[in-house]
């Protein structure tokens, strides 16, 4: 089945958009993908270091801030959190730019560039909204103005669900810190969280590249179509 929209000679002319005036999506994608890939080894080391400190009985009993192992673990986790915050900013910058590009192809998207970012930051709602944002973005990148009749593949659904699960983990951890509730299995929960981070980073790096490539291809197709469209008679 041909995925390109059928050419209709009677369709209303579309406004010409200078793609060069849009945000540089490829540059933002490269930066976000680089930080996502960097999260894989950083998350693995952070998870193992926390597990080591919590399972080494002798160290746990006598752990103080002067212990070099504790200092090294705290220092590395500060580095990890700094890299993670940089990743969040880079990812949101890419999401915003991607929706600016998507709005050119399909002005009727449910999410605007701003709301596509803000909905990730609203507690409780951000367990569900990432899936909706990513599904819509992929559908527009693949099918342009026909996005409403299309379905996103299962890999997008899986990625969105993992994003929601990670947001839920962040919310639960924040509540535990506020209430002072601690669990004996907290170290293992942290390791599980870092495992989710590794999966998210690997999957997201692939899908950021895929969506960026499709959006750029759509813009190229649109440009070729506009160049082929004959101009009306000159007065």
């Amino acid at each position: 089945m041909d995925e390109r929209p059928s050419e209709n000679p009677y369709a209303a002319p579309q406004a010409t958009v200078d793609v060069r005036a849009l945000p540089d999506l490829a540059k933002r994608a490269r930066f976000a993908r680089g930080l996502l890939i960097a999260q894989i080894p950083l998350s693995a080391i952070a998870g193992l270091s926390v597990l080591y400190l919590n399972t080494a009985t002798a160290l746990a009993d006598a752990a103080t801030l002067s212990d070099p192992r504790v200092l090294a673990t705290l220092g590395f986790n500060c580095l990890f959190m700094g890299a993670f915050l940089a990743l969040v900013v880079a990812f949101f910058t890419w999401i915003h730019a991607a929706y600016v590009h998507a709005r050119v192809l399909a002005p009727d998207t449910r999410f605007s560039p701003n709301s596509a970012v803000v909905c990730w930051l609203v507690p409780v709602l951000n367990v569900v909204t990432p899936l909706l944002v990513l599904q819509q973005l992929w559908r527009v990148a693949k099918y342009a103005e026909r996005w409403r009749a299309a379905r996103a593949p299962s890999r997008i659904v899986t990625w969105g669900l993992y994003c929601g699960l990670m947001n839920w983990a962040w919310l639960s951890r924040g509540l535990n810190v506020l209430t002072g509730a601690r669990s004996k299995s907290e170290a293992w929960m942290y390791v599980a969280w870092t495992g989710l981070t590794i999966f998210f980073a690997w999957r997201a790096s692939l899908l950021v590249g895929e969506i960026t490539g499709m959006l750029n291809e759509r813009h190229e197709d649109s440009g070729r179509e506009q160049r082929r469209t004959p101009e009306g008679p000159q007065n």
Side-chain angles (χ1 to χ4, degrees):
M1 181 177 178
D2 186 10
E3 294 180 344
R4 297 181 183 276
S6 59
E7 295 182 1
N8 181 3
Y10 303 103
Q14 296 182 346
T16 302
V17 176
D18 187 0
V19 179
R20 294 172 298 180
L22 299 177
D24 189 343
L25 186 59
K27 182 178 180 180
R28 287 165 171 77
R30 283 194 300 268
F31 189 50
R33 293 186 72 189
L35 288 173
L36 283 165
I37 293 171
Q39 280 294 312
I40 295 176
L42 289 175
S43 297
I45 297 173
L48 291 174
S49 64
V50 170
L51 182 62
Y52 168 73
L53 282 179
N54 283 270
T55 54
T57 306
L59 180 59
D61 292 339
T64 63
L65 285 178
S66 61
D67 193 306
R69 291 168 292 184
V70 175
L71 287 174
T73 301
L74 290 175
F76 180 83
N77 277 278
C78 288
L79 174 64
F80 167 72
M81 290 306 299
F84 185 80
L85 291 176
L87 168 60
V88 169
V89 173
F91 183 74
F92 285 163
T93 301
W94 174 79
I95 282 281
H96 186 276
Y99 261 91
V100 171
H101 283 252
R103 273 289 177 97
V104 174
L105 300 171
D108 61 337
T109 56
R110 296 191 183 98
F111 293 98
S112 68
N114 290 333
S115 64
V117 172
V118 171
C119 68
W120 288 68
L121 306 174
V122 181
V124 181
L125 288 180
N126 62 5
V127 177
V128 178
T129 48
L131 173 59
L132 303 179
V133 168
L134 297 171
Q135 276 186 318
Q136 180 177 263
L137 181 57
W138 189 94
R139 288 155 63 192
V140 172
K142 184 70 174 178
Y143 298 102
E145 70 277 359
R146 297 184 299 155
W147 69 273
R148 288 182 178 275
R151 287 187 178 183
S154 58
R155 61 182 180 277
I156 297 293
V157 176
T158 303
W159 186 30
L161 291 176
Y162 267 93
C163 291
L165 185 58
M166 285 187 65
N167 287 333
W168 176 257
W170 272 106
L171 179 62
S172 300
R173 188 169 178 81
L175 291 174
N176 287 339
V177 170
L178 290 175
T179 59
R182 295 182 62 87
S183 170
K184 294 181 179 180
S185 60
E186 185 174 351
W188 290 103
M189 292 174 62
Y190 185 87
V191 172
W193 179 81
T194 56
L196 288 177
T197 303
I198 291 172
F199 178 88
F200 166 79
W202 167 70
R203 201 58 165 155
S205 66
L206 298 178
L207 293 173
V208 166
E210 179 186 359
I211 292 174
T212 301
M214 289 192 300
L215 285 171
N216 288 335
E217 184 180 351
R218 280 290 173 186
H219 284 311
E220 291 173 3
D221 291 346
S222 177
R224 283 193 292 267
E225 249 181 53
Q226 289 170 358
R227 287 192 295 270
R228 287 200 305 264
T229 302
E231 296 183 357
Q234 301 289 335
N235 292 330

